[in-house]
Amino acid sequence: MVRVTVSKQYTVSANTTETETVYTVTPGKIFKLNLVKIWFPTGVNSELRVKILHGNMQIAPTEGYAVGDNIELEYRPEVEYGSEEQVRVWVQNVNSTESRDVQITLEGEES
């Protein structure tokens, strides 16, 4: 079993909704996602909405979306992804003029 930690920062343009891949499971392996951290820096003003996905299923948070300003939110989904599956993030910036940033950190184990 190998511990995996992945951290990525995303800048989302004004009035934009997109889905991005945070991590792709190694071929022939299973990835157990134990912890998701979503950090909103100062100035985001709760204008960036975030969801972590397993396929089309939302796993963090389990309902609605994460928002914040100068805060780190933690979720413990304990979800398994199969070989070559992708952990994806859905982001939506509702600000009409400014881009917004968020940092996503995943912690888990691949076996």
Side-chain angles (χ1 to χ4, degrees), residues 19-20 51-59 79-82 85-90:
T19 303
E20 299 285 338
K51 303 175 189 181
I52 303 298
L53 305 174
H54 181 207
N56 292 324
M57 185 175 72
Q58 179 177 332
I59 61 165
V79 172
E80 287 190 354
Y81 290 77
E85 277 193 292
Q86 298 176 341
V87 182
R88 296 180 305 133
V89 60
W90 174 93

Side-chain angles (χ1 to χ4, degrees), residues 59-75:
I59 61 165
T62 54
E63 295 180 359
Y65 38 76
V67 296
D69 186 80
N70 192 30
I71 190 169
E72 182 175 81
L73 305 174
E74 290 190 3
Y75 301 92

Side-chain angles (χ1 to χ4, degrees), residues 32-40 48-53 58-68 71-79 81 87 89 102-108:
K32 182 176 180 187
L33 179 58
N34 297 324
L35 179 65
V36 174
K37 296 179 185 178
I38 302 172
W39 178 65
F40 297 97
L48 188 62
R49 301 170 176 175
V50 178
K51 303 175 189 181
I52 303 298
L53 305 174
Q58 179 177 332
I59 61 165
T62 54
E63 295 180 359
Y65 38 76
V67 296
I71 190 169
E72 182 175 81
L73 305 174
E74 290 190 3
Y75 301 92
R76 297 188 180 276
E78 298 188 9
V79 172
Y81 290 77
V87 182
V89 60
V102 66
Q103 181 174 311
I104 308 295
T105 301
L106 309 177
E107 294 182 10

